[in-house]
Amino acid sequence: MVIKLRGLQRVGLAAVMLLALVVLAACGGGGGGGGTSDNGGGTVADGEIEVVLQEYSFTPNNIEVPVGKPITFVLKNEGSLEHDMAFDDLDQVSDLVSAGDTATFEVTFEEAGTYPFYCTVPGHREAGMEGTVTAR
């Protein structure tokens, strides 16, 4: 069955098809971008993850890592105060990172589980600057 379209119908059909392509392209997303998601979660790619430090939050604040593999946290301080990252369960604390600076902090999670982390600067944890790493 062959349907012949008139001039105005062709333009309308072309417009609908173009709109559909634009919508599909917008929904496709680009992915990547550090592995973060809308809920503040992140996964490690190539053994490294960037964590943004601000008053009074970590982004991402829920991170998934593989068990037994060294993980490098790239701590990027976008706040105006010093911040750090501490894991009491592992007895590990990063260096303090000054405002505008970036530092790395390597941790290996030898056992599966959930590891809370926080900023040790007085008052920051109480203000909500904390998160968790889940090792699987």
Side-chain angles (χ1 to χ4, degrees):
M1 173 180 192
V2 176
I3 299 174
K4 292 188 176 188
L5 299 176
R6 298 175 196 243
L8 191 54
Q9 289 174 324
R10 286 184 196 154
V11 171
L13 180 60
V16 168
M17 290 175 62
L18 180 61
L19 181 61
L21 286 173
V22 169
V23 169
L24 288 173
C27 291
T36 60
S37 64
D38 292 340
N39 67 358
T43 55
V44 173
D46 301 324
E48 185 174 288
I49 186 165
E50 182 179 277
V51 179
V52 175
L53 315 174
Q54 292 180 309
E55 288 79 43
Y56 297 94
S57 66
F58 291 96
T59 304
N61 62 359
N62 293 301
I63 302 168
E64 250 185 59
V65 302
V67 172
K69 182 177 180 182
I71 305 302
T72 300
F73 293 95
V74 179
L75 305 177
K76 185 177 180 183
N77 188 344
E78 293 183 358
S80 58
L81 304 171
E82 287 185 318
H83 298 291
D84 62 9
M85 182 182 213
F87 292 92
D88 282 349
D89 294 346
L90 303 172
D91 197 28
Q92 297 221 7
V93 181
S94 74
D95 292 332
L96 281 172
V97 184
S98 298
D101 285 348
T102 300
T104 58
F105 176 45
E106 188 175 290
V107 180
T108 301
F109 300 87
E110 298 292 347
E111 296 180 20
T114 301
Y115 297 85
F117 62 88
Y118 64 97
C119 180
T120 67
V121 174
H124 289 203
R125 185 178 195 181
E126 294 77 12
M129 195 166 182
E130 56 189 356
T132 57
V133 168
T134 303
R136 298 181 195 271

